[in-house]
Amino acid sequence: MRRRYSFHLDENGHSVTVNVRSGTVITETELLVDGKECAFHRVHGHGVYPLLLTGQLAEEPPTPLAVRLERTGEAEHPLTCTLELGGRDHPMPERTAR
């Protein structure tokens, strides 16, 4: 059975979303910045964590960012997601995946 997780944060006027589709065969993770995919990771199995995906905010000059996914060990919320931006960590809340 596939499980879906979605994390979202609006920061500095930009939208950052991480979607995870986890299955028994393949796990896919995508990073969207302002609705555009800027990083994608696919692995066989349930995923390898911690996972770091990088991208940038479309500003002048572009601002680099990273998101870090980690396992929590909890059944109800098995993943956490943190946005690393401007030298600070911003926890990204989980939302119901669409």
Side-chain angles (χ1 to χ4, degrees):
M1 177 172 75
R2 286 185 80 96
R3 302 238 4 222
R4 293 177 180 253
Y5 307 95
S6 185
F7 302 88
H8 179 82
L9 188 64
D10 291 320
E11 189 67 34
N12 296 338
H14 295 279
S15 169
V16 180
T17 304
V18 176
N19 294 312
V20 180
R21 292 175 298 278
S22 178
T24 56
V25 177
I26 294 175
T27 297
E28 298 173 327
T29 306
E30 66 179 349
L31 168 61
L32 305 171
V33 177
D34 296 330
K36 297 178 184 170
E37 184 179 286
C38 63
F40 183 81
H41 182 262
R42 177 182 288 151
V43 66
H44 289 279
H46 293 291
V48 178
Y49 300 98
L51 174 64
L52 186 70
L53 297 174
T54 60
Q56 60 186 20
L57 299 179
E59 299 177 335
E60 198 52 50
T63 303
L65 64 85
V67 292
R68 184 178 62 248
L69 287 149
E70 298 182 85
R71 291 196 189 277
T72 65
E74 300 174 12
E76 190 171 326
H77 300 284
L79 297 175
T80 62
C81 188
T82 305
L83 170 65
E84 300 172 0
L85 178 65
R88 296 183 53 211
D89 288 350
H90 306 270
M92 294 181 67
E94 186 175 356
R95 66 179 185 178
T96 303
R98 292 181 250 160

Coordinates of all heavy atoms in Angstrom, one line a residue:
M1 N 0.8 -1.2 0.0 CA 0.0 0.0 0.0 C 0.9 1.2 0.0 O 1.8 1.4 0.7 CB -0.9 0.0 1.3 CG -1.7 1.2 1.4 SD -3.0 1.2 2.7 CE -2.0 1.4 4.1
R2 N 0.6 2.2 -0.8 CA 1.3 3.4 -0.9 C 0.8 4.4 0.2 O -0.3 4.5 0.5 CB 1.1 4.1 -2.3 CG 1.9 3.4 -3.4 CD 1.7 4.2 -4.6 NE 2.6 5.3 -4.7 CZ 3.8 5.3 -5.3 NH1 4.3 4.3 -5.8 NH2 4.5 6.4 -5.3
R3 N 1.8 5.1 0.7 CA 1.5 6.1 1.7 C 2.0 7.4 1.1 O 3.0 7.5 0.5 CB 2.2 5.9 3.1 CG 1.9 4.5 3.6 CD 1.3 4.5 5.0 NE 1.0 5.7 5.7 CZ 1.2 5.9 7.0 NH1 1.8 4.9 7.7 NH2 0.8 7.0 7.5
R4 N 1.2 8.5 1.4 CA 1.6 9.8 1.0 C 1.8 10.8 2.1 O 1.0 10.7 3.1 CB 0.5 10.4 0.0 CG 0.4 9.6 -1.3 CD -0.7 10.1 -2.1 NE -0.8 9.4 -3.3 CZ -0.4 9.9 -4.5 NH1 0.0 11.1 -4.6 NH2 -0.5 9.1 -5.6
Y5 N 2.8 11.6 2.0 CA 3.1 12.6 3.0 C 3.3 13.9 2.3 O 3.9 13.9 1.2 CB 4.3 12.3 3.9 CG 4.2 10.9 4.5 CD1 4.8 9.8 3.8 CD2 3.6 10.7 5.7 CE1 4.7 8.5 4.4 CE2 3.5 9.4 6.2 CZ 4.1 8.3 5.5 OH 4.0 7.1 6.1
S6 N 2.9 15.0 2.9 CA 3.1 16.3 2.3 C 3.4 17.3 3.4 O 2.8 17.3 4.5 CB 1.8 16.7 1.6 OG 2.0 18.0 0.9
F7 N 4.4 18.1 3.1 CA 4.9 19.2 4.1 C 4.9 20.5 3.3 O 5.2 20.5 2.1 CB 6.3 18.9 4.6 CG 6.4 17.5 5.3 CD1 6.7 16.4 4.6 CD2 6.2 17.4 6.6 CE1 6.8 15.1 5.2 CE2 6.3 16.2 7.3 CZ 6.5 15.0 6.5
H8 N 4.5 21.6 4.0 CA 4.4 22.8 3.3 C 4.7 24.0 4.3 O 4.4 23.9 5.4 CB 2.9 23.0 2.8 CG 2.8 24.4 2.1 ND1 3.2 24.5 0.8 CD2 2.3 25.5 2.5 CE1 2.9 25.8 0.4 NE2 2.4 26.4 1.5
L9 N 5.3 25.0 3.7 CA 5.7 26.2 4.5 C 5.7 27.4 3.5 O 6.3 27.3 2.4 CB 7.0 26.0 5.2 CG 7.4 27.1 6.2 CD1 6.5 27.1 7.4 CD2 8.8 26.8 6.7
D10 N 5.1 28.5 3.9 CA 5.3 29.8 3.2 C 6.3 30.6 3.9 O 6.2 30.8 5.1 CB 3.9 30.5 3.1 CG 2.9 29.9 2.3 OD1 3.3 29.3 1.2 OD2 1.7 29.8 2.6
E11 N 7.4 30.9 3.2 CA 8.5 31.6 3.9 C 9.0 32.7 2.9 O 9.3 32.4 1.8 CB 9.6 30.6 4.2 CG 10.7 31.1 5.0 CD 10.3 31.5 6.5 OE1 9.4 30.8 7.0 OE2 10.9 32.4 7.0
N12 N 9.2 33.9 3.5 CA 9.7 35.1 2.7 C 9.0 35.3 1.4 O 9.6 35.6 0.3 CB 11.2 34.9 2.4 CG 12.0 34.9 3.7 OD1 11.6 35.4 4.7 ND2 13.2 34.3 3.6
G13 N 7.6 35.1 1.4 CA 6.8 35.3 0.2 C 6.9 34.1 -0.8 O 6.4 34.3 -1.9
H14 N 7.5 33.0 -0.4 CA 7.6 31.9 -1.3 C 7.0 30.7 -0.7 O 6.9 30.5 0.5 CB 9.1 31.6 -1.6 CG 9.8 32.6 -2.3 ND1 9.8 32.8 -3.7 CD2 10.6 33.7 -1.9 CE1 10.5 33.8 -4.1 NE2 11.0 34.4 -3.0
S15 N 6.5 29.8 -1.6 CA 5.9 28.5 -1.1 C 6.8 27.4 -1.3 O 7.4 27.2 -2.4 CB 4.6 28.3 -2.0 OG 4.1 27.0 -1.8
V16 N 7.0 26.6 -0.3 CA 7.9 25.4 -0.3 C 7.1 24.2 0.1 O 6.5 24.2 1.2 CB 9.1 25.6 0.6 CG1 10.0 24.3 0.5 CG2 9.9 26.8 0.2
T17 N 7.0 23.2 -0.8 CA 6.3 22.0 -0.6 C 7.1 20.8 -0.8 O 7.9 20.7 -1.8 CB 5.0 21.9 -1.5 OG1 4.3 23.1 -1.3 CG2 4.2 20.7 -1.2
V18 N 7.0 19.8 0.0 CA 7.7 18.5 -0.1 C 6.6 17.4 -0.1 O 5.8 17.3 0.8 CB 8.7 18.2 1.0 CG1 9.3 16.8 0.8 CG2 9.8 19.3 1.0
N19 N 6.6 16.6 -1.2 CA 5.6 15.5 -1.3 C 6.4 14.2 -1.3 O 7.4 14.1 -2.1 CB 4.8 15.6 -2.6 CG 3.9 16.8 -2.5 OD1 3.2 17.1 -1.6 ND2 3.9 17.6 -3.6
V20 N 5.9 13.2 -0.5 CA 6.6 11.9 -0.5 C 5.5 10.9 -0.8 O 4.4 10.9 -0.2 CB 7.2 11.6 0.9 CG1 7.8 10.2 1.0 CG2 8.1 12.7 1.3
R21 N 5.8 10.0 -1.8 CA 4.9 8.9 -2.1 C 5.7 7.6 -1.8 O 6.7 7.3 -2.5 CB 4.5 8.9 -3.6 CG 3.6 10.1 -3.8 CD 3.2 10.3 -5.3 NE 4.3 10.5 -6.2 CZ 4.9 11.8 -6.3 NH1 4.4 12.8 -5.7 NH2 5.9 11.9 -7.1
S22 N 5.4 6.9 -0.7 CA 6.1 5.8 -0.3 C 5.4 4.5 -0.5 O 4.2 4.4 -0.1 CB 6.4 5.9 1.2 OG 7.1 4.8 1.7
G23 N 6.0 3.5 -1.2 CA 5.4 2.2 -1.4 C 6.4 1.1 -1.1 O 7.5 1.4 -0.6
T24 N 6.0 -0.1 -1.3 CA 6.8 -1.2 -1.0 C 7.9 -1.4 -2.0 O 9.0 -1.9 -1.7 CB 6.0 -2.5 -0.9 OG1 5.3 -2.7 -2.1 CG2 5.1 -2.5 0.3
V25 N 7.7 -0.9 -3.2 CA 8.6 -1.1 -4.3 C 9.5 0.2 -4.5 O 10.7 0.2 -4.7 CB 7.9 -1.5 -5.6 CG1 8.9 -1.6 -6.8 CG2 7.2 -2.8 -5.4
I26 N 8.8 1.4 -4.6 CA 9.5 2.6 -4.9 C 9.0 3.7 -4.0 O 7.8 3.8 -3.7 CB 9.2 3.0 -6.4 CG1 9.9 2.0 -7.3 CG2 9.7 4.4 -6.7 CD1 9.6 2.3 -8.8
T27 N 9.9 4.6 -3.6 CA 9.6 5.8 -2.8 C 10.0 7.0 -3.6 O 11.2 7.1 -4.0 CB 10.2 5.8 -1.4 OG1 9.7 4.7 -0.7 CG2 9.9 7.1 -0.7
E28 N 9.1 7.9 -3.9 CA 9.4 9.1 -4.6 C 9.2 10.4 -3.8 O 8.3 10.5 -3.0 CB 8.5 9.3 -5.9 CG 8.7 8.1 -6.8 CD 7.7 8.2 -8.0 OE1 6.6 8.6 -7.7 OE2 8.1 7.7 -9.1
T29 N 10.2 11.3 -3.8 CA 10.1 12.5 -3.1 C 10.4 13.7 -4.0 O 11.3 13.7 -4.8 CB 11.2 12.6 -2.0 OG1 11.1 11.4 -1.2 CG2 11.0 13.8 -1.1
E30 N 9.5 14.7 -3.9 CA 9.7 15.9 -4.8 C 9.7 17.2 -3.9 O 9.0 17.2 -3.0 CB 8.6 16.0 -5.9 CG 7.2 16.2 -5.3 CD 6.1 16.3 -6.4 OE1 6.5 16.4 -7.6 OE2 4.9 16.3 -6.1
L31 N 10.5 18.1 -4.4 CA 10.6 19.4 -3.8 C 10.0 20.4 -4.7 O 10.5 20.5 -5.9 CB 12.0 19.8 -3.4 CG 12.3 21.2 -3.0 CD1 11.5 21.6 -1.7 CD2 13.8 21.4 -2.8
L32 N 9.0 21.2 -4.3 CA 8.4 22.2 -5.1 C 8.6 23.6 -4.5 O 8.4 23.7 -3.3 CB 6.9 22.0 -5.3 CG 6.4 20.7 -5.8 CD1 4.9 20.6 -5.6 CD2 6.8 20.5 -7.2
V33 N 9.1 24.5 -5.3 CA 9.3 25.9 -4.8 C 8.4 26.8 -5.7 O 8.6 26.7 -6.9 CB 10.8 26.3 -4.9 CG1 10.9 27.8 -4.5 CG2 11.6 25.4 -4.0
D34 N 7.5 27.5 -5.1 CA 6.5 28.3 -5.8 C 5.8 27.5 -6.9 O 5.6 27.9 -8.0 CB 7.2 29.5 -6.4 CG 7.8 30.4 -5.3 OD1 7.2 30.5 -4.2 OD2 8.8 31.1 -5.6
G35 N 5.5 26.2 -6.6 CA 4.7 25.3 -7.4 C 5.5 24.7 -8.5 O 5.0 23.9 -9.3
K36 N 6.8 24.9 -8.6 CA 7.7 24.3 -9.6 C 8.6 23.3 -9.0 O 9.3 23.5 -8.0 CB 8.5 25.4 -10.4 CG 7.7 26.4 -11.1 CD 8.5 27.5 -11.7 CE 7.6 28.5 -12.4 NZ 8.3 29.7 -12.8
E37 N 8.7 22.1 -9.7 CA 9.5 21.1 -9.2 C 11.0 21.5 -9.4 O 11.4 21.8 -10.5 CB 9.3 19.8 -9.9 CG 10.1 18.6 -9.4 CD 9.8 17.3 -10.1 OE1 8.7 16.7 -9.9 OE2 10.7 16.9 -10.9
C38 N 11.8 21.4 -8.3 CA 13.2 21.8 -8.4 C 14.1 20.7 -7.9 O 15.3 20.8 -8.1 CB 13.5 23.1 -7.8 SG 13.2 23.1 -6.0
A39 N 13.5 19.6 -7.3 CA 14.3 18.4 -7.0 C 13.4 17.2 -6.9 O 12.2 17.4 -6.6 CB 15.0 18.7 -5.6
F40 N 14.0 16.1 -7.3 CA 13.2 14.8 -7.3 C 14.1 13.7 -6.9 O 15.3 13.7 -7.4 CB 12.6 14.6 -8.7 CG 11.7 13.4 -8.7 CD1 10.4 13.4 -8.3 CD2 12.2 12.2 -9.2 CE1 9.6 12.3 -8.4 CE2 11.4 11.1 -9.3 CZ 10.1 11.1 -8.9
H41 N 13.7 12.8 -6.1 CA 14.5 11.7 -5.6 C 13.6 10.4 -5.7 O 12.5 10.4 -5.2 CB 15.0 11.9 -4.2 CG 15.8 10.8 -3.7 ND1 15.4 9.8 -2.9 CD2 17.1 10.6 -3.8 CE1 16.4 9.0 -2.6 NE2 17.5 9.5 -3.2
R42 N 14.1 9.4 -6.3 CA 13.4 8.1 -6.4 C 14.4 7.0 -5.9 O 15.5 6.9 -6.3 CB 13.0 7.8 -7.8 CG 12.3 6.4 -8.0 CD 11.9 6.1 -9.4 NE 10.8 7.0 -9.8 CZ 10.6 7.4 -11.0 NH1 11.4 7.2 -12.0 NH2 9.5 8.2 -11.2
V43 N 13.8 6.1 -5.1 CA 14.6 5.0 -4.6 C 13.8 3.8 -4.5 O 12.5 3.9 -4.2 CB 15.3 5.4 -3.2 CG1 14.3 5.6 -2.2 CG2 16.3 4.4 -2.8
H44 N 14.3 2.6 -4.6 CA 13.6 1.3 -4.4 C 13.4 1.1 -2.9 O 14.3 1.4 -2.2 CB 14.3 0.2 -5.1 CG 14.3 0.2 -6.6 ND1 13.2 -0.2 -7.3 CD2 15.2 0.7 -7.5 CE1 13.4 -0.1 -8.6 NE2 14.6 0.5 -8.7
G45 N 12.2 0.7 -2.5 CA 12.0 0.4 -1.1 C 11.3 1.6 -0.4 O 10.7 2.4 -1.0
H46 N 11.4 1.6 0.9 CA 10.7 2.6 1.7 C 11.4 3.9 1.9 O 11.0 4.7 2.6 CB 10.4 2.0 3.1 CG 9.5 0.8 3.1 ND1 8.2 1.0 2.8 CD2 9.7 -0.5 3.3 CE1 7.6 -0.2 2.8 NE2 8.5 -1.1 3.1
G47 N 12.5 4.1 1.2 CA 13.2 5.4 1.3 C 14.4 5.3 2.2 O 14.5 4.4 3.1
V48 N 15.4 6.1 2.0 CA 16.6 6.2 2.7 C 16.6 7.6 3.4 O 16.5 8.6 2.8 CB 17.8 6.1 1.8 CG1 19.1 6.2 2.6 CG2 17.8 4.8 1.0
Y49 N 16.7 7.5 4.8 CA 16.7 8.8 5.5 C 17.8 8.8 6.5 O 18.2 7.8 7.0 CB 15.3 8.9 6.3 CG 14.1 8.9 5.4 CD1 13.4 7.7 5.1 CD2 13.8 10.0 4.7 CE1 12.4 7.7 4.2 CE2 12.7 10.1 3.8 CZ 12.0 8.9 3.6 OH 11.0 8.9 2.7
P50 N 18.4 10.0 6.8 CA 17.9 11.3 6.4 C 18.1 11.5 4.9 O 19.1 11.0 4.3 CB 18.7 12.3 7.2 CG 19.9 11.5 7.7 CD 19.5 10.1 7.7
L51 N 17.3 12.3 4.3 CA 17.3 12.7 2.9 C 17.4 14.2 2.8 O 16.6 14.9 3.4 CB 16.1 12.2 2.2 CG 16.0 12.6 0.7 CD1 17.1 12.0 -0.2 CD2 14.6 12.1 0.1
L52 N 18.3 14.7 2.0 CA 18.5 16.1 1.8 C 18.3 16.4 0.3 O 18.9 15.9 -0.6 CB 19.9 16.6 2.2 CG 20.2 18.1 2.2 CD1 19.4 18.7 3.3 CD2 21.6 18.3 2.4
L53 N 17.3 17.3 0.1 CA 17.0 17.8 -1.3 C 17.3 19.3 -1.3 O 17.0 20.0 -0.4 CB 15.6 17.6 -1.7 CG 15.1 16.2 -1.8 CD1 13.6 16.1 -2.0 CD2 15.8 15.4 -2.8
T54 N 18.0 19.8 -2.4 CA 18.3 21.2 -2.5 C 17.6 21.9 -3.7 O 17.2 21.3 -4.6 CB 19.8 21.4 -2.6 OG1 20.3 20.7 -3.8 CG2 20.6 20.8 -1.5
G55 N 17.5 23.2 -3.5 CA 16.9 24.0 -4.6 C 17.2 25.5 -4.3 O 18.2 25.8 -3.6
Q56 N 16.5 26.4 -4.9 CA 16.7 27.8 -4.7 C 15.4 28.6 -4.9 O 14.5 28.2 -5.6 CB 17.8 28.3 -5.6 CG 17.5 28.2 -7.1 CD 18.8 28.6 -7.9 OE1 19.9 28.6 -7.4 NE2 18.5 28.9 -9.2
L57 N 15.4 29.7 -4.2 CA 14.3 30.6 -4.4 C 14.6 31.5 -5.6 O 15.7 31.9 -5.8 CB 14.1 31.5 -3.2 CG 13.8 30.8 -1.9 CD1 13.7 31.9 -0.7 CD2 12.5 30.0 -2.0
A58 N 13.6 31.7 -6.4 CA 13.8 32.5 -7.7 C 13.8 34.0 -7.3 O 12.8 34.7 -7.3 CB 12.7 32.2 -8.7
E59 N 14.9 34.5 -6.8 CA 15.2 35.9 -6.5 C 16.4 36.3 -7.2 O 17.1 35.5 -7.8 CB 15.3 36.0 -4.9 CG 14.2 35.6 -4.1 CD 14.4 35.6 -2.6 OE1 15.6 35.6 -2.2 OE2 13.4 35.8 -1.9
E60 N 16.7 37.6 -7.1 CA 18.0 38.1 -7.7 C 18.8 38.6 -6.6 O 18.5 39.6 -6.0 CB 17.6 39.2 -8.7 CG 18.7 39.5 -9.6 CD 19.3 38.2 -10.3 OE1 18.6 37.4 -10.9 OE2 20.5 38.1 -10.3
P61 N 19.9 38.0 -6.2 CA 20.4 36.8 -6.7 C 19.6 35.6 -6.1 O 18.9 35.8 -5.1 CB 21.8 36.7 -6.2 CG 21.8 37.5 -4.9 CD 20.8 38.6 -5.1
P62 N 19.6 34.4 -6.7 CA 18.9 33.2 -6.2 C 19.4 32.9 -4.8 O 20.5 33.0 -4.5 CB 19.3 32.1 -7.2 CG 19.7 32.8 -8.5 CD 20.3 34.1 -8.0
T63 N 18.4 32.5 -4.0 CA 18.7 32.1 -2.6 C 18.7 30.6 -2.5 O 17.6 30.0 -2.7 CB 17.7 32.8 -1.6 OG1 17.7 34.2 -1.8 CG2 18.0 32.4 -0.2
P64 N 19.8 30.0 -2.1 CA 19.8 28.5 -2.0 C 18.9 28.1 -0.7 O 18.8 28.8 0.3 CB 21.2 28.1 -1.8 CG 21.9 29.4 -1.3 CD 21.1 30.5 -1.8
L65 N 18.4 26.9 -0.9 CA 17.6 26.3 0.2 C 17.8 24.8 0.2 O 18.2 24.2 -0.8 CB 16.1 26.6 0.2 CG 15.3 26.1 -1.0 CD1 14.8 24.7 -0.8 CD2 14.2 27.1 -1.2
A66 N 17.5 24.1 1.3 CA 17.6 22.7 1.4 C 16.4 22.2 2.3 O 16.0 23.0 3.2 CB 18.9 22.2 2.0
V67 N 15.9 21.0 2.0 CA 14.9 20.4 2.9 C 15.5 19.1 3.4 O 16.1 18.4 2.6 CB 13.5 20.2 2.3 CG1 12.9 21.6 2.1 CG2 13.6 19.5 1.0
R68 N 15.3 18.8 4.6 CA 15.8 17.6 5.2 C 14.7 16.7 5.8 O 13.9 17.2 6.6 CB 16.8 17.9 6.4 CG 17.5 16.8 7.0 CD 18.5 17.2 8.1 NE 17.8 17.9 9.2 CZ 18.0 19.2 9.5 NH1 18.8 19.9 8.8 NH2 17.3 19.7 10.5
L69 N 14.5 15.5 5.3 CA 13.5 14.6 5.8 C 14.2 13.6 6.7 O 15.3 13.0 6.3 CB 12.9 13.9 4.6 CG 11.9 14.7 3.8 CD1 11.9 14.3 2.4 CD2 10.5 14.6 4.4
E70 N 13.6 13.3 7.8 CA 14.1 12.3 8.8 C 13.0 11.5 9.3 O 11.9 11.9 9.4 CB 14.8 13.0 9.9 CG 16.0 13.8 9.4 CD 16.8 14.5 10.6 OE1 17.6 13.8 11.1 OE2 16.4 15.7 10.9
R71 N 13.3 10.2 9.7 CA 12.4 9.3 10.3 C 12.2 9.8 11.8 O 13.1 10.2 12.4 CB 12.8 7.9 10.3 CG 12.8 7.3 8.9 CD 12.9 5.8 9.0 NE 13.1 5.2 7.7 CZ 12.2 4.9 6.8 NH1 10.9 5.2 7.2 NH2 12.5 4.4 5.7
T72 N 10.9 9.6 12.3 CA 10.7 10.0 13.7 C 10.6 8.7 14.6 O 10.7 8.8 15.8 CB 9.3 10.7 13.8 OG1 8.3 9.8 13.4 CG2 9.3 12.0 13.0
G73 N 10.3 7.6 14.0 CA 10.1 6.4 14.8 C 8.7 6.2 15.3 O 8.3 5.3 16.0
E74 N 7.8 7.2 14.9 CA 6.4 7.2 15.3 C 5.5 6.6 14.2 O 5.8 6.9 13.0 CB 5.9 8.6 15.7 CG 6.6 9.2 16.8 CD 6.2 10.7 17.0 OE1 5.2 11.1 16.4 OE2 6.9 11.4 17.8
A75 N 4.5 5.8 14.5 CA 3.7 5.2 13.5 C 2.8 6.3 12.9 O 2.6 6.2 11.7 CB 2.8 4.1 14.1
E76 N 2.2 7.2 13.7 CA 1.3 8.1 13.1 C 1.9 9.2 12.2 O 1.4 9.6 11.2 CB 0.5 8.8 14.2 CG -0.7 9.6 13.7 CD -1.5 10.1 14.9 OE1 -1.7 9.5 15.9 OE2 -2.0 11.3 14.7
H77 N 3.1 9.7 12.6 CA 3.8 10.7 11.8 C 5.3 10.2 11.7 O 6.1 10.6 12.4 CB 3.8 12.0 12.5 CG 2.4 12.6 12.7 ND1 1.7 13.1 11.7 CD2 1.6 12.6 13.8 CE1 0.5 13.5 12.2 NE2 0.4 13.2 13.5
P78 N 5.5 9.3 10.7 CA 6.8 8.7 10.6 C 7.9 9.6 10.1 O 9.1 9.2 10.2 CB 6.6 7.5 9.7 CG 5.4 7.9 8.9 CD 4.6 8.8 9.8
L79 N 7.6 10.7 9.5 CA 8.6 11.6 8.9 C 8.5 13.0 9.4 O 7.4 13.5 9.7 CB 8.5 11.7 7.4 CG 8.7 10.4 6.6 CD1 8.4 10.6 5.1 CD2 10.1 9.9 6.8
T80 N 9.6 13.7 9.6 CA 9.6 15.1 9.8 C 10.4 15.8 8.6 O 11.2 15.2 8.0 CB 10.4 15.5 11.1 OG1 11.7 15.1 11.0 CG2 9.7 14.9 12.3
C81 N 10.1 17.1 8.4 CA 10.7 17.8 7.3 C 11.1 19.2 7.8 O 10.3 19.8 8.5 CB 9.7 17.9 6.2 SG 10.4 18.7 4.7
T82 N 12.3 19.6 7.5 CA 12.9 20.8 8.0 C 13.4 21.6 6.8 O 14.2 21.1 6.0 CB 14.0 20.6 9.0 OG1 13.5 19.8 10.1 CG2 14.5 22.0 9.5
L83 N 13.0 22.9 6.6 CA 13.6 23.8 5.6 C 14.8 24.5 6.2 O 14.7 25.0 7.3 CB 12.5 24.8 5.2 CG 12.9 26.0 4.3 CD1 13.4 25.4 2.9 CD2 11.8 27.0 4.2
E84 N 15.9 24.4 5.4 CA 17.1 25.1 5.8 C 17.2 26.3 4.8 O 17.4 26.1 3.7 CB 18.3 24.2 5.7 CG 18.2 23.0 6.6 CD 19.3 21.9 6.4 OE1 20.2 22.1 5.5 OE2 19.3 20.9 7.1
L85 N 17.1 27.5 5.4 CA 17.1 28.7 4.6 C 17.7 29.8 5.3 O 17.4 30.1 6.5 CB 15.6 29.1 4.2 CG 15.4 30.3 3.4 CD1 16.0 30.2 2.0 CD2 13.9 30.6 3.2
G86 N 18.7 30.5 4.7 CA 19.3 31.6 5.3 C 20.1 31.3 6.6 O 20.1 32.1 7.5
G87 N 20.6 30.1 6.7 CA 21.3 29.7 7.9 C 20.4 29.3 9.1 O 20.9 29.1 10.2
R88 N 19.1 29.2 8.9 CA 18.2 28.9 9.9 C 17.4 27.6 9.5 O 17.1 27.4 8.4 CB 17.2 30.0 10.2 CG 18.0 31.3 10.7 CD 17.1 32.4 11.1 NE 16.1 32.0 12.0 CZ 14.9 32.6 12.1 NH1 14.6 33.5 11.3 NH2 14.0 32.1 12.9
D89 N 17.0 26.9 10.5 CA 16.1 25.7 10.3 C 14.6 26.1 10.6 O 14.3 26.8 11.6 CB 16.4 24.6 11.3 CG 17.8 23.9 10.9 OD1 18.3 24.2 9.8 OD2 18.2 23.1 11.6
H90 N 13.7 25.8 9.7 CA 12.3 26.1 9.8 C 11.5 24.8 9.7 O 11.5 24.2 8.6 CB 11.9 27.0 8.7 CG 12.7 28.3 8.6 ND1 12.3 29.4 9.2 CD2 13.8 28.5 7.9 CE1 13.2 30.4 8.9 NE2 14.1 29.9 8.1
P91 N 11.0 24.3 10.8 CA 10.2 23.0 10.7 C 9.0 23.2 9.8 O 8.3 24.2 9.8 CB 9.7 22.8 12.2 CG 10.6 23.6 13.0 CD 11.0 24.8 12.2
M92 N 8.8 22.2 8.9 CA 7.7 22.3 8.0 C 6.6 21.4 8.5 O 6.7 20.2 8.7 CB 8.2 21.8 6.6 CG 9.2 22.7 5.9 SD 9.7 22.2 4.3 CE 8.2 22.4 3.4
P93 N 5.4 22.0 8.7 CA 4.3 21.2 9.2 C 3.8 20.2 8.1 O 3.8 20.5 6.9 CB 3.2 22.2 9.5 CG 3.6 23.5 8.8 CD 5.0 23.4 8.5
E94 N 3.3 19.1 8.6 CA 2.7 18.1 7.7 C 1.3 18.5 7.5 O 0.6 19.0 8.3 CB 2.8 16.7 8.4 CG 2.3 15.6 7.5 CD 2.5 14.2 8.2 OE1 3.0 14.1 9.3 OE2 2.0 13.2 7.5
R95 N 0.9 18.2 6.2 CA -0.5 18.5 5.9 C -1.0 17.3 5.2 O -0.3 16.4 4.7 CB -0.6 19.7 5.0 CG 0.0 19.6 3.6 CD -0.2 20.9 2.8 NE 0.3 20.7 1.5 CZ 0.2 21.6 0.5 NH1 -0.3 22.7 0.8 NH2 0.6 21.3 -0.7
T96 N -2.3 17.2 5.1 CA -3.0 16.1 4.4 C -2.6 16.1 3.0 O -2.8 17.1 2.3 CB -4.5 16.2 4.6 OG1 -4.8 16.2 6.0 CG2 -5.2 15.0 4.0
A97 N -2.1 15.0 2.5 CA -1.7 14.9 1.1 C -3.0 14.9 0.2 O -4.0 14.3 0.6 CB -0.8 13.7 0.8
R98 N -2.9 15.5 -0.9 CA -4.0 15.6 -1.9 C -3.9 14.4 -2.8 O -3.0 13.9 -3.2 CB -4.0 16.9 -2.6 CG -4.3 18.0 -1.7 CD -4.4 19.3 -2.5 NE -3.2 20.1 -2.1 CZ -2.7 21.0 -2.7 NH1 -3.2 21.4 -3.9 NH2 -1.7 21.7 -2.3

